[in-house]
Amino acid sequence: CDPTVLNQKIHDRVIKRLERGALDEVSHLMEKYPDLSLPIYTTLGIGFIIAYLHKQIGKDELISRWTASEVSYAKRQLLWFNKQQGIIWYDTSVAKNFILKNIKLWQKQKPLEL
């Protein structure tokens, strides 16, 4: 995975989350559950949103720090997945329909167990 592409995708996703109400969501959580030591407040990005809501950091820093933490997490995930046997990687930018067909075929062969 190209690091520049990964960074941009994650940055765009952070922006979309903010546009879709992440600040309001965290603000409402804080009103309903004021104990900031609860596990929900350890979720990626929430600490930076809280710092922003408390005016400890600006919006640019919120976006930058949240993006950096998500990128770091994604890199750890990639490192873990790359060590796993049998993983098949697809380039979704060129093979989306092929991938979807393979997933559907795989699901028919191996029903998901709940």
Side-chain angles (χ1 to χ4, degrees):
C1 184
D2 180 353
T4 304
V5 172
L6 178 68
N7 289 358
Q8 188 61 52
K9 283 184 175 185
I10 290 173
H11 178 266
D12 293 346
R13 192 169 62 213
V14 166
I15 298 297
K16 283 181 186 174
R17 288 176 179 163
L18 290 169
E19 290 171 350
R20 292 180 180 160
L23 296 175
D24 289 336
E25 185 177 346
V26 173
S27 181
H28 288 119
L29 275 173
M30 291 168 57
E31 288 173 14
K32 190 170 182 176
Y33 306 102
D35 179 1
L36 297 180
S37 69
L38 293 171
I40 185 64
Y41 297 118
T42 63
T43 303
L44 281 176
I46 289 191
F48 304 123
I49 292 174
I50 292 170
Y52 172 77
L53 293 172
H54 286 146
K55 300 187 185 324
Q56 296 168 341
I57 62 173
K59 194 162 192 178
D60 288 341
E61 187 173 351
L62 160 64
I63 293 167
S64 174
R65 292 174 73 182
W66 188 1
T67 299
S69 70
E70 295 263 351
V71 167
S72 177
Y73 185 73
K75 287 179 180 179
R76 289 192 305 275
Q77 287 179 317
L78 286 169
L79 183 65
W80 185 86
F81 275 110
N82 283 328
K83 292 180 181 180
Q84 304 309 307
Q85 298 282 328
I87 298 286
I88 300 170
W89 294 95
Y90 295 100
D91 182 350
T92 57
S93 66
V94 295
K96 189 173 186 175
N97 289 331
F98 174 77
I99 295 165
L100 292 173
K101 286 178 186 176
N102 275 306
I103 289 171
K104 288 176 184 175
L105 181 64
W106 178 79
Q107 287 174 331
K108 287 178 184 177
Q109 293 173 356
K110 293 185 173 190
L112 297 176
E113 294 181 20
L114 299 177

